[in-house]
Amino acid sequence: MTGQGGRRTQAERDAITVEIGYALLSAAFAAAVLFGAVAGPALLFELPGTVERVLLRVGLIVMPVVFLARVASVLFRFPVRRPAGSPVTRAGHTHATARGTDVETARPGGQPSQPGRTSPDS
């Protein structure tokens, strides 16, 4: 289970861990800020009872929605690992060469991702 889509490397596991941590922390921060913006006036000022209850309930309903939306948006943007032999077209990170057997990593615009190496056309 090594070369062809088997186990993840330590660097890939670390990257996923960091991305999940970022997603959770940024989602918690966004949810807390939104809760403070919506329910904060009810907690800081003396408002009529109905208004206070409505603001607190709206804050408590919107907070988990924002949290889940932020986590999902961060994690869905995280690049998916592709097996070594799968060519991806223009939008992806890999493409097949003219020989059809070699797969090299390229950046948008056709430039190779390895420093110091140039494309034969450049």
Side-chain angles (χ1 to χ4, degrees), residues 72-107:
S73 70
V74 169
L75 293 181
F76 281 128
R77 285 187 310 191
F78 190 71
V80 177
R81 184 179 79 159
R82 304 226 185 265
S86 66
V88 179
T89 57
R90 188 93 163 117
H93 296 291
T94 62
H95 71 279
T97 61
R99 287 175 283 202
T101 57
D102 295 336
V103 176
E104 71 179 25
T105 302
R107 299 204 188 277

Side-chain angles (χ1 to χ4, degrees), residues 102-121:
D102 295 336
V103 176
E104 71 179 25
T105 302
R107 299 204 188 277
Q111 292 297 318
S113 65
Q114 297 169 341
R117 297 186 69 189
T118 60
S119 176
D121 297 332

Side-chain angles (χ1 to χ4, degrees), residues 22-101:
Y22 170 72
L24 292 173
L25 288 175
S26 67
F29 180 75
V33 168
L34 187 69
F35 178 78
V38 172
L43 298 171
L44 293 175
F45 303 113
E46 204 169 309
L47 300 172
T50 306
V51 174
E52 280 187 16
R53 281 192 304 277
V54 167
L55 287 176
L56 285 172
R57 286 189 180 145
V58 168
L60 288 173
I61 290 170
V62 171
M63 188 172 55
V65 172
V66 169
F67 181 85
L68 292 175
R70 177 65 184 164
V71 168
S73 70
V74 169
L75 293 181
F76 281 128
R77 285 187 310 191
F78 190 71
V80 177
R81 184 179 79 159
R82 304 226 185 265
S86 66
V88 179
T89 57
R90 188 93 163 117
H93 296 291
T94 62
H95 71 279
T97 61
R99 287 175 283 202
T101 57

